[in-house]
């Protein structure tokens, strides 16, 4: 996709920034009603409009031509050299135009030179002020100096109503005029290059001595006879061959130039995107830092608030709590002791019984009595 770079030029408050916004379809530039200069430096923005990358350079508006020459022109020229714009929009607001104002415009145009004027379209803003008139009606009513400006720009003009920026027709129509002009200028450039090359070729094509035409050798055609005819044919062939070769080379150079331009455009876009990402990254870092700061602040506030509450706590209540805890501990200790006592008693009882049984087994009398008892049971 080829990029189209457009520069907005005009007096203060003419509606340059507003027109840039209408063209790009977003509020990229600051536009405002003010008696002072609103845009103070050149700025560049771009967007895709009707499947075309449009790059707009907004410039500060002039008060008069000497101010333009000293304060604005150097920076504008710098931007022109850097961005190589294809089109300049001379922004003029519909309304009363003083003779002085038009003279200023004429002076500035003169200073900018033919190359800029060749790529210039007059963009009338505040089209809503035309009301029921056409732009042609307005131009007819205007004084001759305004007509002169239009003539200098070879009758290229367009009307914008920036208060109705959603009107797509006015944008599409301007882009068509711009693209037609760009194409026309490119064709003219190619043609003049070709012309220059042909002239150079003619100058360089000093025909070698041995194949010079008979008249150039100082001899009449009659003197030379049929051999001259052969030489003439050879010369024509050589010229044809050279012409073909040059044309081929020109075509290759043009294609290479186009490729280089495309690469440069891509690089520039990548740089812009990188710049944007860096900005985003920085913003994210700043935001995170800000958030951390806030969290720390909140933590300190919470700590500060917590302190007096701790200080304010009732000592009696604290004592009661501690007492309660001690009571519970005591109760648990008592229960545990009781349980232990019970277990010990049980074990003692078991031990007593076991001892008794052992004693009975150890006594012989007791044993005899037991045997007697057993035999008596058997007899019966
Ligand atoms: N009604 C109407 N007002 C417009 C139109 N275009 C611009 N304006 C108003 O004109 C005022 C000046 O517009 P800007 O775009 O800031 O003019 P500027 O040429 O950029 O001015 P500087 O930056 O100071 O050189 C703003 O209030 C715009 O809203 C238009 O088509 N119609
Ligand atoms: Mg502005």
């Amino acid at each position: 996709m080829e990029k189209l770079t457009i520069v907005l030029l005009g007096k203060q408050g003419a509606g340059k920034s507003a027109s840039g916004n209408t063209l790009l379809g977003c509020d990229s530039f600051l536009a405002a009603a003010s008696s002072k200069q609103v845009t103070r430096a050149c700025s560049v923005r771009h967007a895709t409009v009707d499947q075309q990358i449009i790059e707009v350079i907004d410039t500060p508006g002039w008060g008069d031509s000497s101010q333009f020459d000293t304060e604005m022109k150097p920076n504008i020229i710098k931007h022109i050299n850097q961005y190589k714009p294809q089109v300049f929009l001379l922004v003029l607001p519909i309304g009363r135009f003083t003779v002085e104002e038009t003279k200023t415009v004429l002076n500035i145009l003169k200073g900018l030179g033919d190359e800029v004027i060749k790529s210039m379209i007059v963009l009338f803003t505040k089209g809503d002020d035309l009301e029921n008139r056409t732009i042609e009606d307005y131009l007819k009513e205007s004084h001759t100096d305004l007509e002169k400006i239009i003539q200098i720009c070879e009758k290229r003009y367009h009307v914008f109503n920036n208060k109705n920026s959603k009107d797509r027709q006015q944008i599409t129509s301007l882009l068509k005029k711009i693209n037609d002009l760009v194409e026309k200028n490119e064709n003219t450039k190619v043609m003049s290059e070709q012309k220059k090359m042909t002239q150079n070729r003619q100058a360089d094509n000093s025909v070698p001595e041995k194949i010079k035409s008979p008249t150039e050798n100082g001899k009449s055609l009659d003197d030379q006879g049929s051999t001259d005819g052969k030489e003439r044919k050879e010369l024509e062939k050589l010229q044809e061959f050279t012409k073909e070769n040059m044309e081929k080379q020109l075509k290759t150079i043009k294609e290479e130039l186009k490729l280089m331009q495309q690469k440069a455009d891509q690089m520039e876009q990548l740089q812009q995107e990188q710049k944007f990402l860096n900005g985003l990254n920085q913003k994210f870092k700043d935001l995170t830092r800000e958030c951390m700061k806030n969290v720390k602040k909140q933590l300190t506030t919470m700590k500060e608030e917590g302190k007096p509450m701790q200080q304010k706590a009732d000592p009696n209540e604290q004592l009661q709590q501690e007492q309660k805890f001690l009571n519970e501990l005591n109760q648990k200790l008592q229960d545990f002791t009781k349980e232990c006592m019970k277990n010990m008693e049980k074990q003692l009882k078991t031990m007593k019984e076991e001892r008794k049984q052992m004693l009975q087994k150890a006594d012989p009398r007791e044993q005899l009595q037991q045997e007697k008892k057993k035999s008596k049971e058997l007899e019966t």
Side-chain angles (χ1 to χ4, degrees):
M1 210 191 309
E2 238 174 88
K3 190 177 67 179
L4 194 62
T5 305
I6 301 162
V7 179
L8 293 159
L9 296 170
K11 68 168 184 174
Q12 281 170 26
K16 296 179 292 302
S17 305
S19 299
N21 292 340
T22 303
L23 194 53
L24 295 176
C26 50
D27 281 346
S28 298
F29 305 110
L30 176 68
S34 170
S35 56
K36 286 185 199 154
Q37 191 185 48
V38 174
T39 306
R40 294 188 173 271
C42 292
S43 59
V44 189
R45 301 281 183 278
H46 58 257
T48 306
V49 186
D50 293 349
Q51 285 113 42
Q52 195 170 14
I53 300 171
I54 307 290
E55 185 171 60
V56 176
I57 304 176
D58 189 18
T59 62
W62 58 69
D64 54 53
S65 55
S66 66
Q67 185 206 13
F68 177 79
D69 286 343
T70 53
E71 290 175 27
M72 293 141 195
K73 198 173 164 186
N75 203 19
I76 291 174
I77 299 286
K78 208 172 101 185
H79 276 76
I80 293 175
N81 290 336
Q82 186 183 344
Y83 291 92
K84 310 253 180 295
Q86 293 103 322
V87 169
F88 296 84
L89 293 178
L90 175 63
V91 182
L92 304 178
I94 297 275
R96 254 186 258 162
F97 240 88
T98 66
V99 177
E100 202 52 47
E101 275 173 348
T102 35
K103 268 190 186 144
T104 301
V105 175
L106 286 170
N107 274 338
I108 287 169
L109 291 186
K110 217 171 164 187
L112 285 170
D114 285 347
E115 277 303 306
V116 171
I117 292 172
K118 264 197 307 199
S119 313
M120 190 166 273
I121 296 176
V122 175
L123 178 65
F124 287 106
T125 53
K126 310 197 179 173
D128 39 325
D129 282 349
L130 278 175
E131 290 167 344
N132 294 324
R133 290 173 300 167
T134 63
I135 182 68
E136 285 74 27
D137 292 336
Y138 169 77
L139 290 174
K140 258 184 233 159
E141 290 161 18
S142 308
H143 53 75
T144 48
D145 276 346
L146 187 55
E147 222 172 80
K148 224 183 209 171
I149 296 173
I150 303 288
Q151 293 289 349
I152 288 173
C153 296
E154 294 171 320
K155 294 191 179 159
R156 290 183 296 266
Y157 58 83
H158 188 73
V159 185
F160 251 14
N161 172 5
N162 290 315
K163 289 289 168 197
N164 187 13
S165 54
K166 294 284 170 285
D167 174 7
R168 301 266 340 134
Q169 177 55 31
Q170 59 177 354
I171 302 164
T172 311
S173 165
L174 175 65
L175 283 179
K176 165 113 187 42
K177 287 178 192 174
I178 289 175
N179 280 311
D180 286 349
L181 178 62
V182 172
E183 202 183 323
K184 185 187 146 215
N185 284 344
E186 268 171 10
N187 286 343
T188 318
K189 218 190 249 175
V190 171
M191 270 158 67
S192 76
E193 264 172 32
Q194 276 175 346
K195 204 175 157 190
K196 237 190 249 171
M197 286 189 85
T198 320
Q199 280 168 355
N200 287 346
R201 211 163 49 207
Q202 278 169 354
D204 289 347
N205 270 355
S206 48
V207 184
E209 201 58 28
K210 69 170 192 157
I211 49 171
K212 263 193 180 167
S213 71
T215 36
E216 281 168 323
N217 276 334
K219 292 168 191 168
S220 77
L221 278 169
D222 294 337
D223 290 333
Q224 294 300 309
S226 63
T227 47
D228 288 339
K230 257 189 199 170
E231 280 174 355
R232 196 193 298 268
K233 263 186 193 164
E234 251 179 85
L235 172 66
E236 277 168 4
K237 255 191 205 168
L238 191 68
Q239 277 179 338
E240 193 58 39
F241 175 71
T242 322
K243 193 181 159 197
E244 267 173 23
N245 249 357
M246 296 287 270
E247 271 166 2
K248 259 186 209 165
Q249 278 181 11
L250 190 70
K251 207 174 157 194
T252 320
I253 289 170
K254 260 190 228 164
E255 271 167 6
E256 275 174 1
L257 262 173
K258 206 172 164 188
L259 272 174
M260 276 167 75
Q261 184 62 45
Q262 274 172 0
K263 272 186 191 160
D265 288 346
Q266 278 170 356
M267 286 284 287
E268 199 184 307
Q269 218 177 324
L270 271 173
Q271 273 176 355
Q272 295 260 6
E273 276 167 10
Q274 184 65 44
K275 216 169 150 188
F276 173 71
L277 278 174
N278 286 347
L280 215 61
N281 200 12
Q282 189 56 43
K283 268 188 199 158
F284 180 69
K285 274 184 191 165
D286 293 346
L287 215 64
T288 318
R289 212 176 293 140
E290 196 63 29
C291 276
M292 287 302 288
K293 246 193 215 168
N294 275 347
V295 169
K296 272 184 193 165
K297 230 188 212 172
Q298 278 187 3
L299 267 170
T300 338
T301 323
M302 276 164 75
K303 271 184 198 165
E304 293 284 333
E305 280 173 2
K307 259 187 205 166
M309 271 173 71
Q310 276 176 2
Q311 284 163 1
K312 273 183 214 162
D314 187 354
N316 277 341
E317 201 180 305
Q318 226 173 323
L319 263 173
Q320 274 175 3
Q321 292 259 352
E322 279 168 13
Q323 188 61 48
K324 202 178 157 190
F325 173 69
L326 281 172
N327 286 345
E328 277 172 7
L329 209 66
N330 201 18
Q331 186 58 46
K332 271 183 194 164
L333 204 66
Q334 277 180 13
D335 290 346
F336 179 67
T337 319
K338 251 186 218 166
E339 191 67 24
C340 282
M341 289 295 284
K342 246 190 211 170
N343 274 345
M344 276 169 76
E345 271 170 9
K346 233 186 202 173
Q347 277 185 7
L348 205 67
K349 206 177 163 186
T350 322
M351 276 167 76
K352 267 184 191 167
E353 269 174 10
E354 279 176 355
R355 191 170 167 263
K356 197 180 167 185
Q357 278 177 3
M358 275 170 73
L359 279 174
Q360 275 175 356
K361 275 180 194 169
D363 191 347
R365 281 178 297 175
E366 185 81 25
Q367 235 174 334
L368 204 71
Q369 269 180 2
Q370 289 274 344
E371 277 170 8
K372 271 183 188 173
K373 205 177 169 183
K374 265 186 192 171
S375 60
K376 253 186 193 171
E377 274 172 7
L378 277 171
E379 275 171 20
T380 53

